Amino acid sequence: MAQENLLFSKDHEWLRLEGNLAVVGVTDYAQHELGDVVYVDLPAVGKELKKGDPAANIESVKAVSDVFAPVSGRITEVNQNLNGTPELVNQEPFAGGWIFKIDMTQASELQELMDGKKYEEYLKGIAGE
Amino acid sequence: MRYLPLTDVERGEIKKTIGISDIKELFSCIPEGECYPSLAGIPSALSEPELIATFRELGRKNRFADHLSFMGAGACSHFIPEAVSYLSGKGEFLTPYTPYQPEVSQGSLQAIFEYQTMMTMLTGLDVANASLYDGATAAAEAVLLAVRRSGRSRVLLAANLHPEYAAVIRTYVQNLPIELLTVASNETSGRVDDLDLRARLDEATAAVVFQSPNFLGVVEDGRAIAAAAHERKAYAVQVVAEAMSLAYLTPPGECGADIAAGEAQSFGLSLGFGGPYLGFMAAREEFLRQMPGRLVGQTVDLDGKRGYVLTLSTREQHIKREKATSNICSNEAWCAMRAGMYLAVMGKTGLARAAETCHLNAAYFAAAAAELKPVAVVYPANFYNEVLIEVTKGPAADFHAALKKKGILAGVPLSWFDVKQKNRLLLAFSEVHDRQAIDRLLAAMGECA
Amino acid sequence: MTALPKLIFDLSREGKLGCGLKGADVPAKPVIAASCRRDGIADFPEVSEVEIVRHYMALARLNYSVDAGFYPLGSCTMKYNPKINEKLAAADEFQAHPYAPHDLVQGNLEIMARLEEWLIALTGMAGFTLAPAAGAHGEFTGMLIIRKYLQEKGDARKVVLIPDSAHGTNPASAHFAGYEVREIPSNARGIIGIEELRAHLTPDVAALMMTNPNTLGIFESNIISIAEALHANGSLLYMDGANLNALLGIVRPGDLGVDVMHINLHKTFATPHGGGGPGSGPVGVAARLLPFLPVPRVRKNKDRYEVEYDDPHSIGRVKNFYGQFLVMIRALAYLLALGRENVRRVAEDAVLNANYIRKKLEGKLDLPYATPTLHEVVFSDQGLPVKTLDIAKRLLDYGFHPFTIYFPLIVHGAMMIEPTETESKETLDEFITVMDTILGEARENPDLLRQAPTQTPVRRLDETLAARKPVLKWSRGENR
């Protein structure tokens, strides 16, 4: 179920604001589609990204998925816990499974993301296909 | 026909089930004008005895076996214990597919796991893959790996890399944003020139790629090269064309190499006129997720039993497609299993014994050749199993031809690779040679003054 | 259930010897300083020959193989590997050093030349390189040839079109050749539509990589008009020949407009798969592309065979030495044994067998495309109470190797079945009976499938663990 206070992208990333920082992870739907996560390729701290750029990479046994930057900015922190415990993405996709934090350069881009309700509808739409 | 089990009656039954009367109906999708072309030019079928006779005839046209050979330069004859041929020839190892259904492939998987382990022991590095095509393509893949991992695009290639390896590396990078520069060889030592290396190393260098023992037979100072590379945060890639050297010399990992790649034909594969051979790659732990090729990993099954699977497959083409670490799919798996069998049979003692014999035979030759008038040993103090000699009178190719008339293939003239190297000959010594064979070579050389 | 064999390292005991070699008999001392030599190989196995043979015999017992039974992997062409070919390939008279002077290896050079002649006759291409070591290597070589040809025409292009049904090696090979990959969707009939192609045919397209028949087993029947459209656009047609088994003696790709193609000797030409390799991937080209073939090339000059190493237009060398020579011997022997009388039979029987299976299973499994198929057929898991994986694992309990699963990607839960021509009707009927049984179990007692296999040396393996905590070698003291 989609969490309150979060924003969502069409690629199933979620975003939570911490001041001017955006904390980013992937949703429960995404982790379910991926299956058991075996490795997360984290971005370098300091990396500059534009909205939509591939930022990180999640590997399960049979698939690889890009995690895209939902907003533009600079990576300030990455979740090092994922190195030893990549399964956090499966177990706590919205909490301990967060992936990186971005210092946003274009806060207006937040308008382009979906809120919890819209994301739920979006998921229903996908299920209907 | 013996490979086609269907009888005409059965073909009839199948056609009836499918609902056709003529097989051609199944090919109606094929453009009619091009369907069923004439096969007139194709020879008639041979029975099994005729097949054997045909190949016997072809074999008779080969005359190389009449000669005592000291050829090396990337392929070397070593003794292959009979148990290796016997075991590798079993249908259970020869005829399965890639072990994608691990429950019925534990034999292949465990054999490759053991091979991977032995390659890490021999190279002194953390992880080895399940094979690449050959030494040359392994060297090329090592270049790509170093570039991928470092994020840098310039690669320094030592001048004394096997020319075919350098050629294949060039082919592989020709359309990629990778720059190749050559590091000069020091004439006196036959090794990578330290000054030139340091002059060329910079912050854009992804790796230094050197071969040891190199194409002149000389053992490089791997420690010095690795130290110089690491000072600039570049990788040291050691290419190995004669795998037997791994059992005798200080291993690449201990000398500071980050990646070792090369040819393992010497581990139980027959010369086979060049293939199939066995490319190997081993590297430090940090390269694990970027390595090309298959990897066999250990795990457990539902009952907690130890088992093996192909793992970290997300690096590979069937999952990552154009973002894969390599396009390799079929590899040299059977050759790797056979190499593993060879290494097991030879074992700690046997392998060390064979590896030492290769060097001592070369040393015996070099000492005696120093006394011969027609030749001079170019690097008498530094070689493993290949000795580079200079022919004092006339082109080395002519000297080689004269010895060939005496039934001896005295190595490989370097002019075959570089027309400027007119006077040099590279001879390889293996544990298949004995004192008598080397004495015969020396005597023949003395006669060809 | 049998206990699993120990690792060779666990059998090792100090002082055991497997090797029958004596040391050097020359009076010489090492020239290399002790500081440059290793002091033995720590932990390297010491096992007697007896125990080694038993060790590998035990491993052999754990393996399924073509020699043991049916192996219907789609697009792999797991046909029977003739035993005489093994003997011929191992014969001493062919084991020359690759640098042996050409006059001493005329037999070997003739073998290569004759294989090339056969491949030309069967495919209608103008010439072949035998150098590439596998299909993917051949694809890469083919892409380099196309690239160089266009560059020298002054018409370098950036993009290669690849259908969504393609094998993963296609886009990977194109990428390593420096191309950008653009995907074309297959149409409702499962093939590349000519209008769809035209829509993608921009001036920057260098080539289309087509597999024919494609990975659905369907013949790309628009191939002639596709080739024409490509050529009119200054682009080339590459054909992935992995499925050539359906076309031997039936049609020649060169006659259909193919410019470059690779062949898999370890598929169509019966050389053994060896648990993953070695393969061999010769590449054939149309006449105007001959100058770009890699070196070396074997040529006949009157009654002698010669080797060419320098060609100014060649893409260069793609491999050490000549190629997978001992694999070539097997392929030539296979072709000589088949002869003109049987070459066509191979394709006909392969297509008959595949269509027999299609007919027998199409009422019971979902067939995503109604289009006729040749040597292989792909079903989906639509409407099944279990996953494709579960059916595959249950097949193992009945002593069959499963078909290819989850490929091609465009079919959900794909089951790709290629029986090949070397299977008897009895085997096909047995397979169909077992599939019926399993599908019945899927309805009545699906847990039998989800828990499968239970009759194999190991049960389902934890691939997640293997990827999360990779253990890629034995080490002393390691305990799992």
Side-chain angles (χ1 to χ4, degrees), chain B residues 22-33:
Chain B
D22 191 316
I23 179 76
K24 287 205 170 101
E25 295 172 52
L26 291 175
F27 294 110
S28 55
C29 47
I30 310 240
E32 213 183 307

Side-chain angles (χ1 to χ4, degrees), chain C residues 54-75:
Chain C
R54 290 197 180 147
H55 173 72
Y56 282 101
M57 292 295 286
L59 290 181
R61 280 195 288 277
L62 300 176
N63 266 4
Y64 190 86
S65 60
V66 172
D67 275 1
F70 191 41
Y71 225 116
L73 288 172
S75 279

Side-chain angles (χ1 to χ4, degrees), chain B residues 27-264:
Chain B
F27 294 110
S28 55
C29 47
I30 310 240
E32 213 183 307
E34 314 300 340
C35 202
Y36 282 68
S38 163
L39 301 175
I42 290 179
S44 188
L46 297 182
S47 68
E48 192 160 304
E50 286 172 329
L51 193 59
I52 294 170
T54 300
F55 276 87
R56 191 157 290 146
E57 180 63 32
L58 286 164
R60 269 196 285 270
K61 295 181 183 180
N62 285 339
R63 311 308 317 272
F64 67 91
D66 302 339
H67 298 70
L68 172 62
S69 171
F70 295 91
M71 303 190 99
C76 194
S77 176
H78 291 278
F79 181 73
I80 301 172
E82 189 57 32
V84 174
S85 311
Y86 169 80
L87 292 168
S88 62
K90 300 188 75 53
E92 295 94 326
F93 292 119
L94 199 53
T95 69
Y97 187 62
T98 310
Y100 288 129
Q101 297 291 349
E103 297 89 338
V104 292
S105 317
Q106 289 300 296
S108 302
L109 288 163
Q110 185 172 329
I112 304 254
F113 183 80
E114 292 174 353
Y115 158 80
Q116 283 173 190
T117 304
M118 289 190 269
M119 292 310 293
T120 63
M121 292 171 172
L122 287 164
T123 56
L125 289 165
D126 302 319
V127 55
N129 73 10
S131 76
L132 297 167
Y133 305 136
D134 63 13
T137 55
E141 292 276 11
V143 165
L144 296 179
L145 175 60
V147 164
R148 196 157 51 234
R149 178 88 191 141
S150 66
R152 299 176 178 186
S153 58
R154 184 174 293 156
V155 176
L156 303 182
L157 300 182
N160 291 326
L161 276 184
H162 190 303
E164 289 191 13
Y165 289 31
V168 170
I169 292 172
R170 287 204 168 81
T171 304
Y172 266 61
V173 309
Q174 66 186 268
N175 301 314
L176 301 174
I178 296 176
E179 191 191 350
L180 299 175
L181 295 174
T182 306
V183 181
S185 167
N186 182 298
E187 256 306 298
T188 320
S189 68
R191 289 169 149 182
V192 165
D193 186 276
D194 193 61
L195 285 173
D196 197 43
L197 174 63
R198 285 175 182 279
R200 291 185 185 279
L201 271 166
D202 64 13
E203 271 65 45
T205 310
V208 180
V209 180
F210 67 99
Q211 180 178 321
S212 184
N214 67 26
F215 191 63
L216 306 181
V218 169
V219 179
E220 295 278 1
D221 186 350
R223 284 193 177 92
I225 297 174
H230 292 155
E231 263 172 49
R232 298 294 198 150
K233 298 212 185 341
Y235 292 119
V237 176
Q238 181 174 339
V239 170
V240 179
E242 172 50 82
M244 194 62 88
S245 67
L246 294 171
Y248 192 69
L249 303 173
T250 312
E254 233 178 274
C255 291
D258 302 291
I259 303 170
E263 180 60 67

